[in-house]
Amino acid sequence: MKLRLNTLKTAVALLSSLPVLMLSGCGLIHDPDSEGCDPVYRVGFLYDRNMKFADAFPVEVEEVTLHVIDGDGQVVWSGTDKGAQLAEKGYMMNVPVRPGTYTLVAWCSSAAPETFEAGYDGTLTGLKVDFGTELREDGTEHIFRKLDRLYHGYETEVEFPDTEGGEYHYTVPLTKDTNHFVVTLQQLSGEPIDKDLVEFEITDDNAHLASDNSPIKGRQLTYHQWHSATVDANLSTRVEANSRFAGVVAELTTSRLMTDSNASLRVYRSDNGTTIASIRLIDALLLVMGLENSRRLTPQQYLDYKDEYNLTFFLDENHRWLDGLLQIESWRVVYGDQAV
């Protein structure tokens, strides 16, 4: 049997305007009578859809599940990687499928997620995520826990070439679907507030996310605070009452926020249900998007890129929302219409 050097082939493919380059052939030495070797397909992941515009995949994502769907909408291959390997430089997942044109769907998360369930029935339409909710007797659904981090990737018309040998690299950009809210109720009189007398909740219709990451409408969901604390700090050496910072700080997490949603944020008394403050959430968040962000991002991109929000409601001495005054991040806005 004679041996000869195999001719190396080069190939370039495109995915989401990112170059895909074959790095090697099927081996420098092979049997000329063999049928050659199959191409190798490898998929990496990029999470730079954040306010730093930098790839945070290695430090945030701890588990990756990728699905490859054919033109008939059938899942032809699924694979999961987890752990320290995802933080390694140049991490990519090997995808052993036949050449063809596919849709790639990725669901990524923090380690061992418990607050959402992946529903896969072997088809594109069946690749969806449901957040684990508690169903009450009145038919309403609620979440009281901190949500695990969830990320989604979706690419269509991805060509896996049919060549003899070659290694092809692809990149799937990710969108973070979970959001973290820190909501402060500040008592300007300096009098402390008992955290057990105040409830915080966000209501939205985003309990289900489809394979393309769009919320499946039809199930209103209420997110409750998973942590709250009474804060009472003396900010001055003077004994004046208004030199103290007093109030309640609560933390909530939600699923993906959309510009067309009717999401609302409500703060109310737990003893009698009286509303203290209530806003249309998406309107309020987009009010402080700012000029610089609006030059770089659409409103929906802003909601997807910014995954942490800080909101402060100010109360007068009668525990009423002071003139609709609301602080979001470092912006102060007067929310004229308090009704939702």
Side-chain angles (χ1 to χ4, degrees), residues 189-206:
S189 69
E191 294 296 323
I193 305 174
D194 184 353
K195 69 178 181 64
D196 294 328
L197 291 179
V198 184
E199 293 289 331
F200 301 76
E201 65 180 31
I202 294 174
T203 302
D204 203 351
D205 188 359
N206 56 358

Side-chain angles (χ1 to χ4, degrees), residues 11 17 35 42 54 90 107 115 137 143 186-187 192 209 212 225 241 265 271 273 291 298 319 331-332 334 340:
S17 300
E35 296 181 356
R42 306 188 71 203
W107 292 105
T115 54
E137 292 183 358
I143 288 181
Q186 184 176 346
Q187 175 65 278
L209 296 176
D212 65 354
Q225 79 265 18
L265 168 62
D271 55 350
L291 178 61
T298 66
H319 301 284
W331 295 73
R332 286 196 177 196
V334 176
V340 176

Side-chain angles (χ1 to χ4, degrees), residues 4-305:
R4 66 174 177 85
L5 292 178
N6 180 40
T7 301
L8 292 179
K9 298 182 178 180
T10 60
V12 176
L14 292 177
L15 176 61
S16 296
S17 300
L18 296 176
V20 180
L21 176 65
M22 187 195 77
L23 299 181
S24 64
C26 57
L28 291 179
I29 300 177
H30 79 179
D31 185 343
D33 297 326
S34 70
E35 296 181 356
C37 56
D38 295 330
V40 175
Y41 309 118
R42 306 188 71 203
V43 175
F45 305 87
L46 175 70
Y47 173 51
D48 64 352
R49 293 174 177 171
N50 53 63
M51 298 309 292
K52 293 293 186 181
F53 298 90
D55 185 16
F57 176 86
V59 295
E60 288 198 21
V61 179
E62 298 171 296
E63 184 169 309
V64 172
T65 297
L66 176 68
H67 304 275
V68 181
I69 299 98
D70 64 16
D72 296 324
Q74 301 298 309
V75 177
V76 298
W77 182 86
S78 297
T80 298
D81 279 346
K82 64 181 68 177
Q85 61 178 319
L86 273 62
E88 295 176 357
K89 184 177 181 180
Y91 161 79
M92 302 195 86
M93 177 183 287
N94 290 320
V95 181
V97 297
R98 298 177 61 85
T101 301
Y102 298 102
T103 293
L104 305 182
V105 178
W107 292 105
C108 310
S109 66
S110 47
E114 297 180 350
T115 54
F116 55 83
E117 297 180 355
Y120 308 131
D121 65 0
T123 66
L124 178 61
T125 55
L127 297 177
K128 64 179 184 292
V129 160
D130 301 334
F131 286 89
T133 63
E134 296 184 21
L135 182 63
R136 290 183 173 175
E137 292 183 358
D138 60 2
T140 60
E141 295 184 81
H142 301 259
I143 288 181
F144 297 88
R145 297 188 295 172
K146 178 182 179 182
L147 298 181
D148 299 297
R149 297 190 304 274
L150 177 65
Y151 308 79
H152 173 269
Y154 184 76
E155 293 295 323
T156 61
E157 299 296 321
V158 182
E159 183 181 356
F160 285 19
D162 185 3
T163 62
E164 183 180 331
E167 183 169 314
Y168 296 85
H169 289 186
Y170 305 84
T171 301
V172 175
L174 300 176
T175 296
K176 189 174 184 180
D177 286 333
T178 44
N179 301 276
H180 179 211
F181 284 84
V182 178
V183 183
T184 303
L185 199 62
Q186 184 176 346
Q187 175 65 278
L188 293 181
S189 69
E191 294 296 323
I193 305 174
D194 184 353
K195 69 178 181 64
D196 294 328
L197 291 179
V198 184
E199 293 289 331
F200 301 76
E201 65 180 31
I202 294 174
T203 302
D204 203 351
D205 188 359
N206 56 358
H208 290 203
L209 296 176
S211 58
D212 65 354
N213 211 27
S214 60
I216 301 174
K217 302 295 184 178
R219 284 177 54 185
Q220 184 166 285
L221 174 63
T222 299
Y223 304 88
H224 298 263
Q225 79 265 18
W226 46 264
H227 172 75
S228 65
T230 296
V231 290
D232 184 9
N234 192 342
L235 304 179
S236 172
T237 57
R238 296 175 298 176
V239 189
E240 300 172 13
N242 60 7
S243 68
R244 300 186 67 85
F245 179 96
V248 177
V249 176
E251 296 182 66
L252 308 86
T253 44
T254 72
S255 176
R256 188 184 183 199
L257 302 173
M258 306 295 291
T259 56
D260 63 350
S261 92
N262 292 317
S264 64
L265 168 62
R266 177 175 175 245
V267 185
Y268 62 97
R269 293 181 60 111
S270 58
D271 55 350
N272 57 23
T274 300
T275 297
I276 298 172
S278 181
I279 62 172
R280 291 185 294 270
L281 184 60
I282 303 302
D283 291 349
L285 299 182
L286 293 180
L287 274 176
V288 299
M289 181 176 173
L291 178 61
E292 191 62 30
N293 288 326
S294 65
R295 287 173 173 171
R296 308 177 70 176
L297 303 169
T298 66
Q300 184 58 56
Q301 287 174 327
Y302 176 74
L303 294 176
D304 287 333
Y305 280 52

